[in-house]
Amino acid sequence: EIVLTQSPGTLSLSPGERATLSCRASQTINSNYLAWFQQKPDQPPRLLIFAASSRAAGIPDRFSGSGSGTDFALTISRLEPEDFAVYFCQQYGRSPYTFGRGTKLEIK
Amino acid sequence: QVQLQQWGAGLLRPSETLSLTCGVSGESFSESYWSWIRQPPGQGLEWIGEIDHTGSTNYNPSLKNRVTISVDTSKNQFSLKLNSVTAADTAVYYCARGNSVWSRRPFDPWGQGTLVTVSS
């Protein structure tokens, strides 16, 4: 199975700063089938980015995805208070579909 | 707009069978694959398996010998059964829409989640 490694485990930043989260795959992800999710306590994950760089409906343009092959990133250009949450990457190119362990974005 | 609503028992004893159902509204059931995903408390997400409207299934090898996913197309529902549960199966279980029958896509939307606790 494809293992996704996210880094850092925790990222401490202030509102207004820029956040860059990393997701590295153990194998090339077919056709960049890589998604990013945001999860807040007691809520299901919310889709932010699909196909590595396409924003899902209703997602603000401060969220952007990049990368290909085995290295991917999620960038939040200017952090808003509501952006502090846990972020997961997920590959849907090959079964079993797998998730990274998450990056917790916390307020500094 | 697709919506998923899930339900099922939230407290089980070891060796019992977990049983959850997810109802789908707002979309033709036959156009997608429907998945179950779980998340142990404070941990990451694990895909359990998926089913299409014909009943064709695909399971995560890590759980394949204990999992059954079934579908009731007359009710636009799909269900999860996980047998011989242990404390390690304690998790929030989610249903979600996955790939379409024509193309790959990520899990979206998701059900509200059901906390299943296994305890003696």
Short mmCIF file of all heavy atoms in Angstrom, two decimals, chain B residues 3 6 8 13 28 36 38 44 46 48-49 51-52 63 65 72 77 80 82 85 88 100 115 119:
data_model
loop_
_atom_site.label_atom_id
_atom_site.label_comp_id
_atom_site.label_asym_id
_atom_site.label_seq_id
_atom_site.Cartn_x
_atom_site.Cartn_y
_atom_site.Cartn_z
N GLN B 3 -26.24 14.03 0.34
CA GLN B 3 -26.15 14.01 1.79
C GLN B 3 -26.10 12.56 2.27
O GLN B 3 -26.79 11.70 1.71
CB GLN B 3 -27.33 14.73 2.43
CG GLN B 3 -27.31 16.23 2.20
CD GLN B 3 -28.40 16.96 2.97
OE1 GLN B 3 -29.54 16.53 3.01
NE2 GLN B 3 -28.03 18.06 3.60
N GLN B 6 -25.92 8.53 8.73
CA GLN B 6 -25.57 7.21 9.20
C GLN B 6 -26.12 6.94 10.59
O GLN B 6 -26.38 7.87 11.36
CB GLN B 6 -24.05 7.01 9.17
CG GLN B 6 -23.27 8.02 10.00
CD GLN B 6 -21.77 7.82 9.87
OE1 GLN B 6 -21.10 8.52 9.15
NE2 GLN B 6 -21.26 6.86 10.62
N GLY B 8 -26.43 3.53 13.85
CA GLY B 8 -26.06 2.20 14.31
C GLY B 8 -25.68 2.22 15.78
O GLY B 8 -25.56 3.29 16.39
N ARG B 13 -19.70 -5.04 23.15
CA ARG B 13 -18.79 -5.82 23.98
C ARG B 13 -17.82 -6.57 23.07
O ARG B 13 -18.14 -6.86 21.90
CB ARG B 13 -19.57 -6.79 24.84
CG ARG B 13 -20.54 -6.12 25.80
CD ARG B 13 -21.02 -7.06 26.89
NE ARG B 13 -22.02 -6.43 27.75
CZ ARG B 13 -21.73 -5.57 28.73
NH1 ARG B 13 -20.47 -5.24 28.97
NH2 ARG B 13 -22.68 -5.05 29.46
N SER B 28 -28.11 9.90 -7.63
CA SER B 28 -28.34 8.52 -8.03
C SER B 28 -27.32 7.61 -7.37
O SER B 28 -26.11 7.81 -7.49
CB SER B 28 -28.24 8.40 -9.55
OG SER B 28 -28.26 7.03 -9.93
N TRP B 36 -16.68 3.08 3.69
CA TRP B 36 -16.61 3.24 5.14
C TRP B 36 -15.16 3.54 5.52
O TRP B 36 -14.23 2.92 4.99
CB TRP B 36 -17.11 1.99 5.85
CG TRP B 36 -18.58 1.79 5.74
CD1 TRP B 36 -19.24 0.97 4.86
CD2 TRP B 36 -19.60 2.42 6.53
NE1 TRP B 36 -20.59 1.07 5.05
CE2 TRP B 36 -20.84 1.95 6.08
CE3 TRP B 36 -19.57 3.34 7.59
CZ2 TRP B 36 -22.05 2.36 6.64
CZ3 TRP B 36 -20.77 3.75 8.14
CH2 TRP B 36 -22.00 3.26 7.67
N ARG B 38 -12.72 4.75 9.15
CA ARG B 38 -12.78 4.90 10.61
C ARG B 38 -11.59 5.70 11.14
O ARG B 38 -10.55 5.80 10.47
CB ARG B 38 -12.84 3.54 11.29
CG ARG B 38 -11.56 2.71 11.22
CD ARG B 38 -11.77 1.38 11.96
NE ARG B 38 -10.55 0.57 12.00
CZ ARG B 38 -10.47 -0.59 12.62
NH1 ARG B 38 -11.54 -1.10 13.26
NH2 ARG B 38 -9.34 -1.27 12.61
N GLY B 44 -5.31 8.88 13.21
CA GLY B 44 -5.57 9.14 11.81
C GLY B 44 -6.72 8.32 11.26
O GLY B 44 -7.45 7.65 11.99
N GLU B 46 -8.50 5.51 8.57
CA GLU B 46 -8.26 4.22 7.91
C GLU B 46 -9.46 3.89 7.03
O GLU B 46 -10.59 3.80 7.52
CB GLU B 46 -8.04 3.12 8.94
CG GLU B 46 -7.79 1.75 8.33
CD GLU B 46 -7.59 0.67 9.36
OE1 GLU B 46 -8.22 0.75 10.45
OE2 GLU B 46 -6.82 -0.27 9.10
N ILE B 48 -11.84 1.45 5.19
CA ILE B 48 -12.26 0.09 5.49
C ILE B 48 -12.61 -0.67 4.22
O ILE B 48 -12.21 -1.82 4.02
CB ILE B 48 -13.46 0.09 6.45
CG1 ILE B 48 -13.08 0.76 7.78
CG2 ILE B 48 -13.98 -1.32 6.68
CD1 ILE B 48 -14.26 1.04 8.68
N GLY B 49 -13.40 -0.04 3.36
CA GLY B 49 -13.82 -0.71 2.13
C GLY B 49 -14.88 0.08 1.41
O GLY B 49 -15.35 1.12 1.89
N ILE B 51 -18.26 -0.16 -1.82
CA ILE B 51 -19.23 -0.98 -2.55
C ILE B 51 -19.86 -0.12 -3.63
O ILE B 51 -19.98 1.10 -3.48
CB ILE B 51 -20.29 -1.55 -1.59
CG1 ILE B 51 -21.11 -2.66 -2.26
CG2 ILE B 51 -21.18 -0.44 -1.02
CD1 ILE B 51 -21.94 -3.47 -1.28
N ASP B 52 -20.27 -0.77 -4.73
CA ASP B 52 -21.06 -0.06 -5.73
C ASP B 52 -22.49 -0.60 -5.73
O ASP B 52 -22.85 -1.48 -4.94
CB ASP B 52 -20.40 -0.14 -7.11
CG ASP B 52 -20.51 -1.53 -7.75
OD1 ASP B 52 -21.19 -2.42 -7.19
OD2 ASP B 52 -19.89 -1.73 -8.82
N LEU B 63 -8.41 -5.47 7.09
CA LEU B 63 -9.65 -5.81 7.78
C LEU B 63 -10.49 -6.82 7.01
O LEU B 63 -11.57 -7.21 7.48
CB LEU B 63 -10.49 -4.54 8.00
CG LEU B 63 -9.89 -3.51 8.96
CD1 LEU B 63 -10.64 -2.18 8.83
CD2 LEU B 63 -9.98 -4.02 10.40
N ASN B 65 -10.76 -9.91 6.45
CA ASN B 65 -11.32 -11.17 6.97
C ASN B 65 -12.43 -10.96 7.99
O ASN B 65 -13.07 -11.94 8.41
CB ASN B 65 -10.20 -12.04 7.56
CG ASN B 65 -9.50 -11.35 8.72
OD1 ASN B 65 -9.67 -10.16 8.93
ND2 ASN B 65 -8.70 -12.10 9.45
N ASP B 72 -28.39 -1.88 -0.21
CA ASP B 72 -29.83 -2.02 -0.47
C ASP B 72 -30.21 -0.88 -1.40
O ASP B 72 -30.48 0.24 -0.95
CB ASP B 72 -30.60 -1.97 0.84
CG ASP B 72 -32.10 -2.21 0.65
OD1 ASP B 72 -32.59 -2.06 -0.50
OD2 ASP B 72 -32.78 -2.54 1.62
N GLN B 77 -29.26 2.73 0.51
CA GLN B 77 -28.50 2.56 1.75
C GLN B 77 -27.39 1.54 1.54
O GLN B 77 -27.51 0.62 0.72
CB GLN B 77 -29.41 2.05 2.88
CG GLN B 77 -30.47 3.04 3.33
CD GLN B 77 -31.43 2.43 4.34
OE1 GLN B 77 -31.31 1.26 4.74
NE2 GLN B 77 -32.37 3.24 4.79
N LEU B 80 -22.33 -1.59 6.93
CA LEU B 80 -21.04 -2.15 7.35
C LEU B 80 -21.27 -3.13 8.49
O LEU B 80 -22.01 -2.82 9.43
CB LEU B 80 -20.12 -1.02 7.85
CG LEU B 80 -18.84 -1.45 8.57
CD1 LEU B 80 -17.87 -2.09 7.59
CD2 LEU B 80 -18.19 -0.25 9.26
N LEU B 82 -18.72 -5.50 10.98
CA LEU B 82 -17.36 -5.86 11.38
C LEU B 82 -17.50 -6.84 12.55
O LEU B 82 -18.02 -6.47 13.61
CB LEU B 82 -16.57 -4.62 11.81
CG LEU B 82 -15.14 -4.85 12.29
CD1 LEU B 82 -14.26 -5.33 11.15
CD2 LEU B 82 -14.57 -3.57 12.91
N VAL B 85 -15.29 -7.89 17.24
CA VAL B 85 -14.66 -6.62 17.59
C VAL B 85 -13.87 -6.74 18.89
O VAL B 85 -14.18 -7.55 19.77
CB VAL B 85 -15.68 -5.47 17.68
CG1 VAL B 85 -16.36 -5.25 16.33
CG2 VAL B 85 -16.70 -5.73 18.79
N ALA B 88 -9.52 -2.46 20.10
CA ALA B 88 -8.79 -1.80 19.01
C ALA B 88 -9.72 -1.30 17.91
O ALA B 88 -9.30 -0.50 17.06
CB ALA B 88 -7.75 -2.75 18.42
N SER B 100 -16.44 7.99 -8.61
CA SER B 100 -17.59 7.77 -9.48
C SER B 100 -17.33 6.52 -10.31
O SER B 100 -16.20 6.01 -10.35
CB SER B 100 -17.83 8.98 -10.38
OG SER B 100 -16.95 8.94 -11.49
N LEU B 115 -19.56 7.27 16.79
CA LEU B 115 -18.56 6.74 17.72
C LEU B 115 -19.00 5.36 18.16
O LEU B 115 -20.08 5.20 18.73
CB LEU B 115 -18.40 7.65 18.93
CG LEU B 115 -17.48 7.12 20.04
CD1 LEU B 115 -16.05 6.90 19.52
CD2 LEU B 115 -17.49 8.06 21.25
N SER B 119 -16.19 -2.19 24.74
CA SER B 119 -15.76 -2.29 26.13
C SER B 119 -16.53 -3.39 26.83
O SER B 119 -17.73 -3.58 26.57
CB SER B 119 -16.01 -0.96 26.85
OG SER B 119 -15.70 -1.07 28.22
#
